[in-house]
Amino acid sequence: MRTQELIGYASALIVGIVLGLTGGGGSILTVPIFVYVFQIPPVLATTYSLFVVGSTSLVGSVSHVWKSQVDLRITSAFALPSFVSVYLTRRFLVPALPDPLFQFDHFRLSKSDAILYFFAIVMILAARSMIRNDRPEQGEAADGKPRYGNLALDGLSVGLLTGTIGAGGGFLIVPMLVLLAGLTIHRAVATSILIIAVNSFVGFLGDIHHTDLNWNFLLPFTGLSIAGIFIGMYLARFVAPDRLKKGFGWFVLAVATYIILKEIL
């Protein structure tokens, strides 16, 4: 096995560890790992990412469900519209995007490059949230009454994002659950992980109709990521998650900058 591949598989373990430590964020690294370490085309990389993110998050959500930390009513209100959105995005929208996506004179923006630029922008937004360590207070739902209509609309938006770039979108879901559903930050994180898991699997199902998958590669990578989440959940007892989240935010920002520079130069 080449050194580059060893680094890639080690990165799978890191993805799981970060998810276990912080409850999110690690999944946003999977697409760059697939594209730049394993040289997988960006569109296929988003498909692989959905499977890895879904499997790893599902394992992480089991303990939260077992401890009754997940609000199933809120999960349904947010997740059902999101499931529809992510499935339709993967099943119809992404395959229908033209390639090149945009062309004017000598300028040509390919479908793969557009996805990577969009992914980098999302990474920057996620990094900003982690660096600032945003912890929203109860906003519209401060009266204890969830805003189900707004949750459904936001679920549609997150589904579109997840379907397009193959990342879970936890950095968006958690604030929404706090502000619009009135959940505490801990219950919002637990509920978000379950939404991310099912969302990712639904998006993945939208892909299997038109995508050939290398299971010999995908399953070992996913297995390492799942092993990593157990390590992360154990280390979470000893590591201050807020400081870790901030440091990881700077790392995500650096990776996003690398993606943009590599695609431009």
Side-chain angles (χ1 to χ4, degrees), residues 223-248:
L224 286 170
S225 182
I226 291 173
I229 202 170
F230 284 111
I231 297 173
M233 293 167 95
Y234 174 76
L235 293 177
R237 305 175 189 177
F238 313 104
V239 179
D242 290 346
R243 294 182 62 185
L244 177 75
K245 192 174 182 181
K246 187 173 183 179
F248 182 68

Side-chain angles (χ1 to χ4, degrees), residues 15 24 30-31 96 102 123 225:
V15 167
T30 53
V31 169
F102 177 78
M123 289 183 75
S225 182

Side-chain angles (χ1 to χ4, degrees), residues 21-23 64-65 68-71 135-136 174 177-178 182-194 241-242:
L21 278 168
T22 67
H64 293 306
V65 174
S68 300
Q69 295 175 332
V70 176
D71 191 311
R135 286 189 175 277
V174 172
L177 294 178
V178 174
L183 299 183
T184 64
I185 188 69
H186 297 293
R187 286 177 64 83
V189 168
T191 303
S192 171
I193 291 176
L194 179 59
D242 290 346

Side-chain angles (χ1 to χ4, degrees), residues 186-237:
H186 297 293
R187 286 177 64 83
V189 168
T191 303
S192 171
I193 291 176
L194 179 59
I195 293 172
I196 289 170
V198 185
N199 237 11
S200 299
F201 275 127
V202 170
F204 180 75
L205 290 175
D207 272 358
I208 59 177
H209 302 282
H210 50 74
T211 306
D212 293 325
L213 304 173
N214 183 355
W215 291 105
N216 291 330
F217 161 74
L218 188 56
L219 291 179
F221 189 96
T222 304
L224 286 170
S225 182
I226 291 173
I229 202 170
F230 284 111
I231 297 173
M233 293 167 95
Y234 174 76
L235 293 177
R237 305 175 189 177

Side-chain angles (χ1 to χ4, degrees), residues 98-104 107-114 117:
D99 195 12
L101 191 63
F102 177 78
Q103 187 168 0
F104 179 75
F107 177 76
R108 182 179 184 274
L109 180 63
S110 70
K111 179 178 176 178
S112 296
D113 288 343
Y117 284 132

